[in-house]
Amino acid sequence: MSRLIGPHTADPCPRCADEAVRLGTPPRTAGPAEVGYTCDRCGHVWSRSIETDLAVYDIVRADLPEATFYETVWSLEDDRVLLRGPGGDWYRWVEHWRIILY
């Protein structure tokens, strides 16, 4: 279960259950695209696959350095996703690897 810490969402480590904000690291290989995570407490390393089945109007989570956003996909490109803020108040391009489908 994730919980909010300030403007971010904290996720538990699969091994020690320590809840912390982990932004992940982008994929570096040409193989299966995965985002890597490391627990600062126990050193456990894990990954998640990058979302490949996104569609316009999907609700997604975007973990950015300044905050975690839960918004609507408005447009898709190969390497980035356009998010629409509440009520269309703002739009923001986000790197595809930072997106988690909700």
Side-chain angles (χ1 to χ4, degrees):
M1 184 76 179
S2 301
R3 67 182 177 94
L4 292 177
I5 295 181
H8 291 280
T9 299
D11 294 311
C13 168
R15 178 184 287 164
C16 73
D18 178 52
E19 289 186 341
V21 174
R22 298 177 181 90
L23 299 179
T25 54
R28 294 192 177 113
T29 64
E34 295 184 335
V35 178
Y37 298 92
T38 303
C39 178
D40 292 336
R41 181 174 173 206
C42 72
H44 181 61
V45 176
W46 71 98
S47 63
R48 69 165 175 85
S49 297
I50 291 179
E51 304 292 347
T52 58
D53 58 348
L54 290 176
V56 172
Y57 305 124
D58 280 345
I59 302 300
V60 296
R61 169 178 158 181
D63 289 323
L64 304 177
E66 62 275 11
T68 299
F69 294 98
Y70 295 87
E71 303 303 342
T72 304
V73 172
W74 207 246
S75 180
L76 298 162
E77 292 185 0
D78 289 339
D79 61 346
R80 64 186 189 156
V81 177
L82 182 63
L83 300 183
R84 179 180 186 257
D89 290 341
W90 55 264
Y91 294 87
R92 178 182 202 141
W93 284 105
V94 176
E95 296 164 300
H96 193 166
W97 68 270
R98 294 185 182 273
I99 300 294
I100 299 170
L101 181 62
Y102 261 62

